[in-house]
Amino acid sequence: MNNDYIKLNDPLSQQLQQTILRLAPSDATVLITGETGTGKEVIARALHDMSPRHQHPFLAVNCGALTPSLAESELFGHEKGAFTGASQRHYGWFEAAEGGTLLLDEVGELSPSLQVKLLRVLQQREVIRVGSYRAIPINVRVIAATHVDLRQAIHSRLFREDLYYRLNVAPLHLQPLRQRPQDVTVLAQHFLQRYTQRHGKSGIVFSNEAMNTLMEHSWPGNIRELDNVVNNAVLVCENLEIASTHLPLKSPIKGDTSDRPNAFSSFIREQLQRGEPELYQRTLETLISEAFQLSGQNQCQAAEMLGISRNTFRTQLSHLGLIKPRNQSVLALKNSTSPHSPVPERELRIGYQKFGNLGVLKAQRYLEQLFQPLGVTVLWSEFPAGPQLLQALAHGEIDFGTTGEVPPLLAQAENNQLRYIAWEPAAPSSVALMVPNSSAIQTLSDLRGKRIAVNKGSNVHYLLLQLLDEAGLALSDVRLIYTPPKYPLTPSDSLSADAWMMWDPLLSQAECEGHLRRLENGEGRVNNHQFYLSRHDFIRHSSDLFPVLMDALKTTGKYIDSTRQQAASLLSKEIAIDAHALEMALSRRSHQAHVMNRHIIREQQIIADRFYALGLLPRPISIRQAVWEYK
């Protein structure tokens, strides 16, 4: 075991660790179940790192985050020309994990059609790429994980019974942290050591009062919540002792038994015995509405509280009338015929990445204050990177968001009716190709035959093309591994790739910690502007919202550029990245938002034309046609 896997004190945890030791050497398929935040991926990594496959890749794919239209291609790969946009052969997750371990996280979220295909892969140990009829043998150990009750899903006909038994060869159930109180102290000390080292704050300890507070908390978010609490405490602690005031926890209410394992069951049993009418519907409505309010109306956070997907949670909100259904047209304020008519309720759904203007706006709740008098509710959805955000924009899950210059090009080529709203100046030093300090790769020419990890469709794709051109290499001379953005890298991550395309703030964090070195960056090679985008249909109904949005973005940009240290401190609490690394990342870019102009349109068109010439876009696109004329 590496340092992420520590010896725990609770008997339940010790029994689990013994089971892991027995299962790790085998190739048995393991099904890990447990509440959100109990550490299912950590256990999967432990099984891999202690197995004979430990020198091969460990890859984790979140099945709940797979786009329905591309899920089969992501898992099993596709051939060139298999569908619109398939400009080259793509290796799926199974092939990328060859020889190693593949974690299918949130496997209960797979669609019925994909469940059938996954069952065949597990039975035959081979995959067939989309657009091909040739079966490709695979040597991959599969570990599945889920927080939902698959037996109940089978009963509801949402999950295949035969697939369940194929996955459940070796079951592992992770108990919630509230049922393992003896582990709280050990885990808290472990996280304290991790974050004091990461943030350069050695010598910090817990006060007795703080440790007692940790022991008394019920930990509804389990180990993930404890991890975040300790990280935040280290960031805000100004001396060498963490006090209870540094812990962002609600004080336990005296006499409250809601966190006891059987209290909720006893309450429900009592209500059933009383014959309370419509108990199921009332309980469901209470759960949904309370989670929605506690999360500050953040759908992603509320869904995580309840252990369900965001789509399921949003459907329940719609049924309760707390939000409008997605297919209902948004009414414009100007349609109110009487000056005394109530202002129609509207939504502005914003997709954001925690770093940047929108991340600061989200933390400040400034936008909510501006839109409240207009009867507009602001809903936030967090995304790890631009490609995932634009997929949500294309499917009508959000109305507005920001990303780099390359993802919108690929989106337009797939007939996504997005529109450019505004842009921020380029920051070429904020993107780079990183390699381990011990790597033999010293020049770009050394990349031939190497595995390069990149987020699919991301802004760093264009930088990678430029770097390969300089070295006289083509895309076919390297092997691309498509993976979501991530840092820090685990030992098994470092085996899955030889180099990583990274961007801020993860890039600055990696440079501050010193485990990776920058081989080349984007200076003199890319412009990487930041763009704000919306959908054509949303603009048509809600163009009156964009002047307010633009003013808010400009105000926030001035705030970030004039008080970077303060902005970095604010973001540090949201992102759990060291404030010094965030300040470095913020200093590389001007955050002033501007309306689109001819020069920026021409630069985007140059990139689009080159991508089309290389076969990376299935059709030529005209940037000018996708620009909203801001007035």
Side-chain angles (χ1 to χ4, degrees):
M1 280 189 180
N2 63 33
N3 292 333
D4 283 336
Y5 317 123
I6 58 178
K7 186 171 179 59
L8 300 173
N9 290 336
D10 195 273
L12 289 173
S13 300
Q14 292 178 352
Q15 182 180 358
L16 174 67
Q17 290 181 324
Q18 290 301 315
T19 305
I20 292 172
L21 289 172
R22 292 195 298 271
L23 292 178
S26 74
D27 266 347
T29 302
V30 178
L31 177 62
I32 306 175
T33 57
E35 293 180 6
T36 299
T38 48
K40 294 186 283 294
E41 183 172 345
V42 173
I43 298 303
R45 287 181 181 276
L47 289 167
H48 172 79
D49 290 346
M50 292 187 292
S51 75
R53 297 175 177 270
H54 68 276
Q55 293 185 341
H56 297 281
F58 172 90
L59 299 179
V61 54
N62 187 332
C63 298
L66 292 173
T67 304
S69 59
L70 297 176
E72 183 178 357
S73 168
E74 289 294 311
L75 285 174
F76 312 127
H78 66 248
E79 296 290 349
K80 181 178 180 180
F83 50 84
T84 302
S87 55
Q88 60 182 357
R89 174 182 291 172
H90 167 65
Y91 297 99
W93 286 97
F94 277 92
E95 286 186 83
E98 179 66 19
T101 303
L102 177 62
L103 169 63
L104 299 175
D105 200 8
E106 300 304 343
V107 70
E109 299 287 341
L110 284 177
S111 66
S113 61
L114 271 179
Q115 291 179 32
V116 174
K117 293 180 171 64
L118 176 59
L119 178 63
R120 183 189 180 283
V121 170
L122 295 176
Q123 290 173 336
Q124 305 297 329
R125 313 304 297 179
E126 60 187 23
V127 297
I128 299 177
R129 299 189 192 119
V130 177
S132 172
Y133 296 97
R134 184 172 68 88
I136 302 171
I138 55 168
N139 174 24
V140 175
R141 183 185 190 179
V142 173
I143 299 176
T146 181
H147 70 276
V148 303
D149 186 345
L150 291 184
R151 291 187 180 89
Q152 181 59 42
I154 293 170
H155 179 72
S156 303
R157 298 190 177 182
L158 298 174
F159 200 81
R160 293 181 62 94
E161 186 174 11
D162 48 3
L163 177 58
Y164 170 74
Y165 289 117
R166 178 64 65 174
L167 293 172
N168 197 39
V169 176
L172 279 179
H173 181 68
L174 308 188
Q175 298 292 343
L177 187 55
R178 62 181 174 274
Q179 295 182 12
R180 299 182 282 135
Q182 297 180 45
D183 288 342
V184 173
T185 302
V186 179
L187 289 168
Q189 294 292 351
H190 171 68
F191 294 137
L192 179 65
Q193 181 181 5
R194 172 192 291 178
Y195 292 117
T196 51
Q197 291 177 352
R198 180 174 298 179
H199 302 314
K201 291 187 171 185
S202 60
I204 295 180
V205 297
F206 289 110
S207 68
N208 291 334
E209 181 187 15
M211 187 56 74
N212 289 335
T213 301
L214 293 176
M215 292 293 294
E216 292 172 0
H217 188 58
S218 61
W219 301 111
N222 292 299
I223 299 174
R224 182 181 297 141
E225 182 187 2
L226 176 58
D227 185 334
N228 291 336
V229 165
V230 176
N231 189 8
N232 182 268
V234 172
L235 287 170
V236 302
C237 182
E238 298 176 349
N239 47 46
L240 294 180
E241 187 175 74
I242 293 176
S244 58
T245 55
H246 295 133
L247 304 172
L249 297 172
K250 292 184 178 179
S251 300
I253 301 174
K254 189 174 182 179
D256 181 18
T257 60
S258 60
D259 59 331
R260 296 178 186 173
N262 297 321
F264 185 67
S265 298
S266 299
F267 171 76
I268 294 296
R269 187 180 300 110
E270 180 182 344
Q271 300 303 307
L272 289 170
Q273 290 171 345
R274 288 183 179 180
E276 289 291 333
E278 299 180 351
L279 179 61
Y280 173 80
Q281 189 60 32
R282 288 169 53 206
T283 302
L284 180 62
E285 290 178 3
T286 302
L287 285 171
I288 296 298
S289 59
E290 288 296 326
F292 196 39
Q293 294 303 318
L294 282 173
S295 65
Q297 298 189 340
N298 184 304
Q299 295 179 26
C300 290
Q301 292 179 12
E304 186 171 342
M305 284 182 188
L306 298 175
I308 60 179
S309 70
R310 178 179 176 271
N311 288 336
T312 300
F313 182 75
R314 184 177 175 83
T315 300
Q316 294 294 342
L317 287 176
S318 177
H319 289 165
L320 296 179
L322 295 176
I323 62 171
K324 289 187 176 75
R326 283 179 184 163
N327 60 354
Q328 183 173 335
S329 298
V330 180
L331 298 176
L333 286 175
K334 63 184 75 173
N335 289 342
S336 181
T337 57
S338 169
H340 303 292
S341 299
V343 177
E345 181 185 347
R346 293 195 291 174
E347 289 181 0
L348 173 61
R349 301 168 300 167
I350 300 179
Y352 78 108
Q353 301 166 56
K354 286 185 176 179
F355 181 70
N357 285 25
L358 290 180
V360 173
L361 267 176
K362 167 68 167 57
Q364 292 178 323
R365 300 192 68 82
Y366 174 54
L367 207 54
E368 286 83 345
Q369 298 173 21
L370 292 178
F371 278 121
Q372 187 175 13
L374 301 177
V376 178
T377 300
V378 180
L379 302 175
W380 298 87
S381 297
E382 181 190 338
F383 294 89
Q388 292 85 350
L389 186 150
L390 287 180
Q391 286 285 350
L393 192 65
H395 288 86
E397 296 176 4
I398 58 174
D399 307 309
F400 181 79
T402 180
T403 183
E405 61 188 359
V406 169
L409 301 180
L410 282 89
Q412 290 173 86
E414 295 175 358
N415 294 312
N416 186 345
Q417 295 300 305
L418 60 81
R419 292 293 183 268
Y420 292 86
I421 304 297
W423 62 281
E424 289 177 13
S429 62
S430 68
V431 289
L433 174 66
M434 305 291 286
V435 297
N437 285 330
S438 59
S439 173
I441 300 174
Q442 300 295 329
T443 66
L444 293 175
S445 300
D446 296 332
L447 294 174
R448 185 182 297 275
K450 296 297 190 293
R451 299 163 299 173
I452 303 176
V454 60
N455 186 229
K456 189 172 185 179
S458 63
N459 207 44
V460 288
H461 256 166
Y462 190 55
L463 173 59
L464 180 59
L465 285 178
Q466 300 288 75
L467 295 177
L468 293 176
D469 269 358
E470 289 183 27
L473 301 175
L475 282 173
S476 57
D477 293 320
V478 298
R479 181 176 179 184
L480 299 188
I481 297 177
Y482 293 113
T483 179
K486 180 182 181 183
Y487 193 80
L489 303 173
T490 66
S492 51
D493 289 328
S494 63
L495 294 171
S496 65
D498 303 297
W500 292 266
M501 302 300 300
M502 300 184 72
W503 63 92
D504 275 329
L506 300 182
L507 173 62
S508 290
Q509 184 187 18
E511 291 185 316
C512 286
E513 295 184 359
H515 302 306
L516 302 176
R517 57 181 166 86
R518 181 184 293 225
L519 188 67
E520 295 289 350
N521 68 12
E523 292 182 359
R525 298 180 174 97
V526 294
N527 286 322
N528 71 314
H529 299 92
Q530 194 78 3
F531 289 101
Y532 294 94
L533 305 122
S534 185
R535 290 192 322 279
H536 175 69
D537 60 338
F538 182 77
I539 293 172
R540 188 171 64 250
H541 292 294
S542 304
S543 60
D544 59 308
L545 302 184
F546 290 96
V548 182
L549 263 175
M550 283 298 300
D551 288 343
L553 290 172
K554 290 178 179 178
T555 300
T556 304
K558 292 177 182 177
Y559 164 76
I560 295 174
D561 290 345
S562 61
T563 57
R564 286 199 182 99
Q565 187 174 8
Q566 187 174 344
S569 177
L570 180 66
L571 284 174
S572 182
K573 298 176 183 178
E574 295 283 318
I575 309 179
I577 290 180
D578 180 61
H580 175 65
L582 286 172
E583 188 175 356
M584 178 192 299
L586 291 174
S587 68
R588 290 171 171 163
R589 176 184 292 276
S590 166
H591 294 81
Q592 295 300 306
H594 306 274
V595 297
M596 298 295 292
N597 60 42
R598 293 179 181 178
H599 175 69
I600 298 300
I601 294 172
R602 280 198 300 269
E603 289 193 355
Q604 277 288 93
Q605 191 65 57
I606 290 171
I607 301 174
D609 292 345
R610 182 172 182 203
F611 269 51
Y612 176 66
L614 290 171
L616 297 177
L617 297 182
R619 64 182 182 87
I621 58 177
S622 173
I623 303 299
R624 186 176 298 277
Q625 293 178 359
V627 175
W628 177 57
E629 296 297 333
Y630 176 77
K631 298 178 182 178

